[in-house]
Amino acid sequence: MKRILALLLVLAMLAAACGGSDDSADNATDAGDDTTDTTASTDDTAADSGDESDGDSEAAGDAATIEMWIAFSDDARLGFTRDRAADFNELHPEYNVVVTEFDSYNTVFEQAQLAIEDGNPPEIIHFFEAATQEALDAVDGDGNPIFKSVTEAIGDRTEILGEPVVLGDVVSAATKYYTIDGQLYSMPWNTSSTTMFSNMDILNEAGITEPPATWAEVEAACEAIMALPDAPSEGCITWPNHGWFYEQSLGQMGVDLVNNDNGRSGRATEIFLDSPEAIDYIQWWSDLENSGNYVYTGVQRDWDGTSAAFQAQNVAMLIYSSSDTTALTQAGVDNGFEVKSSFMPYNQDIAYEGNLIGGATLWLANGLSETEEDGALAFLNFFSNPENAAAWHQLTGYIPITNSAVALLEEEGWYNESPNSAVASDQLDAAADTPAATGALVGNFVAIRDVVTAAIEDVLVNDVDVAERMASAQAEAQQQLDDYNELFGE
Amino acid sequence: MSGSLQLVLSLIVGAAIGVLSYGYRTPRQAALGGALGVLGTGAISAALGFCMYAADAESTEGVLGIALGAAFAWMFGAGTRAVLNRPGEGSGVGGGGFGESQIRTGAYRLGWWWPWLLLSPTLIILVFFLYWPAFQTFRLSTKLTRLGAPRVGERCLANFSELLIPQPVLVATLPLVAVGLIWGIGLWQRRSNPDSVGYSVARILRPLGPLVLLLALYFIFEDVNGGYRRIYLNTVIISVGTVALSMAFGLGLAYLTFRRIRGVTVYRTLLIWPYAVSPPIAGILFFMIFNATGGVVAALSSRWGIDFPDYTQNASLARMTIVLASVWKLLGYNLLFFLAGLQTVPRDQIEAAALDGANAWQRFRTVVLPALGPISFFLLITNLTYSFFDVYGTIDFLTKGAPAGATSVAIYEIIRVGVDNGDLGRGAAQSVVLFLAVIALTAWQFNQSEGRINYGGA
């Protein structure tokens, strides 16, 4: 008996050890929820990341290492980045760009700040749009900013180590969002917008030839679709309950989220979560849910669940990030239905002002040596050169980030071949140049988004009164902003 | 009430608590206890820069300040008493300890520093990895701070008072009433004749005491949207459900597999397997089973024409799913320890009971169960720890706190606030609340089981 017990104990210990390692492997797959973009579907068999980063080890003998920390850990996007780094290392043997992946923007940011405290920061850090204010405000232990403006670092150079500077060529939507005090502090990279994806097979069956463009048209289309004998099993339409969609709607209706021109003419100190327009939007959303047309997956920021419902044809329409345009279009081909991308539906009763971007930029660490800084800048410009920016767009659906990349894609006839890919860029180009349609610059944005999505979830699940719930969310968010400004404000 | 008046009140409360905790058999002892209480209250007030007296005394923060002072007074009083009393006299479970004569002889004659030297590797690790981080957590909990911020905001006890309702009178009285009730029932039971009706009534009422305390805590947590009451309720429901079910099923299964049947070792090994799965994987597994879109159960039930409910849309179902996944996960672990425990039950006692005419249930209840006391106590603590902390991974994969926060337990909220939102101060404050809950529960457990758990041996 004792022997059996001992055996059991050994088994249990082994099991515990396995349990532990499972845990860590598992966390790595948990892509950050705070990202406004989502992992391209996992079965994307894109170029394998492979071993490029160590392939240059012999060349990297005395090469300066440029560390790049990014928040993408999926094969497609991480692999793309690793491949570009390998290309760059081949062109510039005096440098060795090393890409390290993290599971979310927050992790990258935290780890980078800790590394800065340690005096050994990565040169290039990937960080998302909602935390732009926080990245600008962040300081190290001595009170120095932790990031350096790339505009300032480039100066009036037109090429660095032979790589042409593309910063000035960045498309207007991204420039508009990320320009603060007249300069781009970081190099825009993955940039997307919210677009709608429609299952045209279902829409056509219901006698609808074009995807609905307004809220009223969505309602009408859903009536027709849900009346079909073989109506989609879950409902008509879905999208993730993420703060980004709420902000997009405010942009469409021309309403600022915060004061001081959406935080762009001065630090935002007041937030307006419960504007009448915002309440209209959430009321419309809630009504759509109550009529059985909108499908709530029950989880906030559920990129995977909503996308899966659309791909399984359990819903007819999906409002999503354009970052997955390529994958969703392909999913339609694979599952035998036509996917059409269109602008995010807007409120027909209010003049349309514009949709905003989402995504992330690459920040340059402060306090680098000249060699390191030049290497990092050369890589940033190489990374978004027309060929690379175009390839990135084709792989994912993020917009081509420079005008020359757009020109290159047009020349190649890419947009004729895949019209869905043009939608996000077109939608962003159609936006007015106003603070509302540019998007808010505000501190503690992640927490504020949490307040918004929690309130919306309460409305959707518990059917509480929209105006009352948003009023209490407003108080909560204002507290978050006040706290932030107490720490970071002038 | 002005700040200085409040300080005086706080010191008086501290002195009273000091006397109560240190002892009041002689006037000298009472005086010393009072002094210790004042010292404790004064020490924590000074450590915090007397900030709690700057707040309005009629605020929840003021009440918390007095409570904190009282807690330190008690620690000083009871701590001094414990240090002055030699070990062996009043020690808790396990008893034992060396007599003084043994300490003064043999290897221990090398000097007072010798044991410290031998202990130092452990102590260094404890200090750097346990005490220092714990201290930092307490410190952070009084601040408003974020990574990368150029300055730090002082919050005193506001991070805590935010979690409570803004009615200081209720915050002060409800827990006191509950504690008074528990104490009163205990006193009634002790004072009454074991044969009287009063004794029986007190005995029946006794378990109600902790329930009243749980209820009192429920009512003092803030209820407005995003308030802590919801988190508290979720934590209580999910952890009580998990612990009760996993222990009951664990014992039941262990009892069944303890019998000699062919291939029992294989069964046992298989039963322990869920323990090998990490909490997030358990989350994924149950997600695959119960997901309303692509889950196994949903697919099967739709085949039979049953509309399987979506657990993410219903608070009770969501909580049940979390409990189920946690119970499944813990079952193997509990089974393992109960099996080990069952092997220590003296056979002769069971046989003796059988000879005395006890049936299977009576043997189980009167012989086996008491012998399993130490194991059960150990499992209770580890299971409680699991349901307080490790359940995070399961929740993150199954519900992410949905629907509308119905499965957001304390640990989930701590990570959401402190890590995801980067609000280190509030995150630390909630960690302290959870820490206090664990301490209180463990202390209560020790108290309840003292004298009743028999570890065997001399």
Side-chain angles (χ1 to χ4, degrees), chain A residues 193-195 213-215 218 239-240 242-257 262 272-273 275-285 319 343-348 350-357 427 434-440 449 452 456:
Chain A
S193 189
T194 45
T195 51
T214 63
W215 293 359
V218 168
W239 63 88
H242 188 295
W244 193 37
F245 294 87
Y246 166 87
E247 293 146 32
Q248 294 280 356
S249 272
L250 293 189
Q252 290 183 333
M253 296 185 277
V255 183
D256 287 358
L257 181 67
N262 245 352
F272 316 116
L273 282 194
S275 56
E277 290 86 351
I279 289 170
D280 278 352
Y281 173 63
I282 297 168
Q283 191 64 56
W284 172 71
W285 186 347
I319 305 180
F343 288 8
M344 178 180 172
Y346 62 93
N347 183 355
Q348 65 287 338
I350 297 177
Y352 175 85
E353 197 153 308
N355 280 82
L356 15 142
I357 64 151
Q427 176 172 287
T434 58
T438 304
R449 280 180 162 176
V452 172
I456 292 174

Side-chain angles (χ1 to χ4, degrees), chain A residues 25 166 425:
Chain A
V166 295
S425 298

Side-chain angles (χ1 to χ4, degrees), chain A residues 139 234 296 298 450 472 483 489, chain B residues 148 151 225 293 313 402 416 426:
Chain A
V139 294
E234 286 189 56
Y296 187 49
D450 259 18
S472 98
D483 284 351
Chain B
R151 51 182 168 271
N225 298 316
T293 316
Q313 302 283 0
R416 189 184 74 77
R426 287 197 178 88

Side-chain angles (χ1 to χ4, degrees), chain A residues 175-246:
Chain A
T175 312
K176 205 168 72 174
Y177 186 93
Y178 292 112
T179 296
I180 299 137
D181 305 332
Q183 56 180 316
L184 279 170
Y185 277 84
S186 51
M187 179 79 198
W189 178 24
N190 54 310
T191 304
S192 58
S193 189
T194 45
T195 51
M196 186 162 80
F197 297 89
S198 301
N199 182 330
M200 290 312 290
D201 290 17
I202 300 180
L203 265 68
N204 288 337
E205 201 184 329
I208 305 155
T209 49
E210 280 301 315
T214 63
W215 293 359
E217 284 177 35
V218 168
E219 288 165 39
C222 281
E223 293 283 309
I225 289 168
M226 295 315 284
L228 288 173
D230 55 343
S233 62
E234 286 189 56
C236 171
I237 187 169
T238 190
W239 63 88
N241 175 16
H242 188 295
W244 193 37
F245 294 87
Y246 166 87

